[in-house]
Amino acid sequence: MPVTAIVGAQWGDEGKGKITDLLAQEADVVIRFQGGNNAGHTVVNQHGTFKLHLVPSGIFNPEALCVLGPGCVVDLAFLCRELADLERSGISTANLRVSDRAHLLMPWHIALDRLDERERGRKKLGTTGMGVGPAYSDKVGRHGIQVYEVQDPKRFRARVKRELELKNPILERFGDAPVDTLPLVESALAKDARVLLEGQLGAMRDLDWGIYPYVTSSNPLAGGASVGAGIPPRKITRVIGVVKAYSTAVGEGPFPTELRGDEATALRERAHEYGATTGRPRRVGWFDAVAARHAHRLNAFTEIAVTKLDVLDVYERIPFCASYELDGKRTSDMPPTLVLERAKPCYETLEGWSTAITGVTERRELPAKATAYLERIAETVGAPVGMIGVGPERAATLL
Ligand code: GDP
């Protein structure tokens, strides 16, 4: 059964959008399985540059069915704006289906999110303030409103009385069209359709296995893909772990290989590391194989996709972290959050290739030192390197 999960193996923003957009050209179904519009997947293709927040990155393939799975939280007003923007750019959104079991993200979730961050003051989590955490809290607390509930306007009105004016236009648009996506996905699987499961964020932000409490409210792991998309675990046969050739993080929490000062500014500027959703400067650092190996242990990647290798073109020497020093001992296991805050990265120095690789079209044309860098990633993470990103465009990917 050709079901492929595309999951982040770091702190998020690994370039999953680009990899999904590429593979979606050959897919029949693309399902976002968790998260909300806090995602910011950047896709550069023949239609232009797009920052997708809620809509699956498969939307550019007019033949593919795109699904927002039950594991997602959906801000309908935001979704309407995103769909309108895409339509204005000439992208048809006719093939998008929203699961009737997905949860609605309501205006009060956004207000609560911002209030909670303000309350936490200096200990804030660094959320995007889009209400995703509170929407999942309501879901877990059994207060959530599911998409199908908009079908019963009377009951729905009772629940969202105060927001009625704001919600009416959205109801008009969606009220008659909630869909049970389970039969759609099931029949696609029965026909051996090619299905992509698109994750948001990465393993280090996983609710259970990430740096709690600086985590997201869902599970970006392949295990979460099964639940969040409604695909039985045994049907997922390919799991692509997306990593950047270095590391970035948005928001708070431990990030052992983080760079500071001029070195950080240089890498951030070169790589354009500013949040796709918030515009916030991203924290940047060297590749952390302990984190990516942690992701591999939880996901069993069939392959790793390394993005943004071209960003490292200008470095003569590249520090690479394959273990931490923790209380005088070396470890390559990922400790829990407060312990991780004490961990110091142990660096080995890999040689840079000092050549522009963006025009490279074949893997064998890569400079030997770039290949050695990729081999070191494969060796320390424990999975082979599949795709390699050498530029932002869809075509700038070595297979
Ligand atoms: P996502 O949320 O995991 O999809 O990641 P983002 O879209 O937030 O961040 C990835 C950024 O890197 C986007 O701006 C992409 O256009 C860009 N990008 C992806 N792959 C490559 C690559 O191989 N090289 C370069 N230079 N940029 C890339």
Side-chain angles (χ1 to χ4, degrees):
M1 204 66 57
V3 180
T4 302
I6 301 166
V7 296
Q10 293 166 314
W11 281 257
D13 309 312
E14 294 91 348
K16 297 174 292 295
K18 177 190 163 183
I19 300 292
T20 308
D21 171 62
L22 176 73
L23 295 180
Q25 298 312 298
E26 305 275 304
D28 302 301
V29 184
V30 181
I31 310 175
R32 262 284 301 275
F33 61 84
Q34 40 84 232
N37 51 301
N38 54 341
H41 294 167
T42 310
V43 171
V44 185
N45 56 29
Q46 76 272 26
H47 307 289
T49 298
F50 300 87
K51 290 195 194 307
L52 296 175
H53 299 288
L54 204 46
V55 173
S57 306
I59 201 74
F60 302 101
N61 176 357
E63 308 296 326
L65 177 71
C66 284
V67 176
L68 281 177
C72 295
V73 290
V74 184
D75 178 336
L76 288 182
F78 187 98
L79 180 62
C80 289
R81 287 197 297 274
E82 187 164 352
L83 294 180
D85 284 349
L86 282 166
E87 292 281 350
R88 259 197 302 278
S89 308
I91 310 298
S92 166
T93 58
N95 283 344
L96 179 74
R97 301 287 179 278
V98 181
S99 165
D100 56 357
R101 287 178 175 82
H103 278 246
L104 292 177
L105 190 153
M106 305 301 278
W108 54 83
H109 293 135
I110 300 172
L112 280 172
D113 196 351
R114 296 193 174 156
L115 204 71
D116 187 56
E117 281 287 89
R118 210 165 56 215
E119 276 287 294
R120 288 178 192 256
R122 285 184 44 223
K123 293 230 151 94
K124 69 180 163 55
L125 302 176
T127 78
T128 51
M130 291 181 164
V132 172
Y136 276 111
S137 294
D138 269 356
K139 174 181 173 179
V140 175
R142 272 118 343 149
H143 281 280
I145 305 178
Q146 289 179 291
V147 167
Y148 78 92
E149 295 186 57
V150 300
Q151 258 177 328
D152 181 347
K154 212 163 140 206
R155 191 166 163 274
F156 188 60
R157 189 177 292 123
R159 295 188 75 180
V160 295
K161 216 160 79 198
R162 286 217 251 133
E163 277 72 26
L164 193 60
E165 262 179 22
L166 194 70
K167 285 288 165 283
N168 252 343
I170 304 156
L171 268 175
E172 271 165 28
R173 176 153 183 183
F174 279 90
D176 59 346
V179 206
D180 182 356
T181 52
L182 184 60
L184 291 177
V185 172
E186 208 173 37
S187 74
L189 288 177
K191 283 187 232 138
D192 244 7
R194 294 153 301 178
V195 179
L196 290 183
L197 307 177
E198 180 182 13
Q200 183 230 354
L201 283 167
M204 293 301 284
R205 299 291 188 191
D206 185 88
L207 180 59
D208 292 282
W209 293 97
I211 43 172
Y212 189 88
Y214 309 103
V215 290
T216 194
S217 321
S218 56
N219 296 99
L221 301 179
S226 168
V227 177
I231 303 241
R234 284 197 295 131
K235 308 241 159 154
I236 302 177
T237 46
R238 188 178 176 199
V239 180
I240 303 177
V242 186
V243 293
K244 275 180 188 163
Y246 50 97
S247 302
T248 65
V250 175
E252 310 300 319
F255 178 13
T257 60
E258 182 167 15
L259 287 170
R260 319 223 173 233
D262 293 347
E263 263 192 314
T265 310
L267 180 54
R268 182 179 306 115
E269 292 299 318
R270 171 157 174 77
H272 311 292
E273 293 295 356
Y274 293 90
T277 303
T278 57
R280 282 189 282 187
R282 289 177 181 151
R283 298 161 69 192
V284 297
W286 299 121
F287 189 80
D288 182 340
V290 181
R293 178 171 169 269
H294 177 63
H296 175 55
R297 291 167 90 181
L298 299 164
N299 281 294
F301 299 135
T302 47
E303 67 201 85
I304 312 171
V306 179
T307 63
K308 302 192 95 167
L309 187 63
D310 52 300
V311 166
L312 300 182
D313 285 354
V314 292
Y315 292 93
E316 275 173 34
R317 275 175 289 281
I318 309 169
F320 186 99
C321 166
S323 59
Y324 300 148
E325 191 195 305
L326 196 56
D327 306 330
K329 292 201 188 91
R330 275 214 182 198
T331 180
S332 52
D333 289 332
M334 180 57 68
T337 309
L338 288 177
V339 182
L340 180 61
E341 271 169 3
R342 297 201 302 272
K344 303 252 173 318
C346 303
Y347 285 118
E348 50 197 78
T349 306
L350 302 187
E351 284 185 66
W353 43 96
S354 307
T355 322
I357 58 170
T358 293
V360 169
T361 53
E362 300 278 343
R363 225 171 142 137
R364 56 184 161 73
E365 289 167 18
L366 280 176
K369 285 171 182 164
T371 304
Y373 188 81
L374 294 170
E375 274 166 9
R376 189 68 186 130
I377 291 182
E379 198 171 71
T380 51
V381 176
V385 170
M387 284 166 279
I388 304 157
V390 294
E393 295 80 27
R394 184 193 284 164
T397 311
L398 313 180
L399 303 173

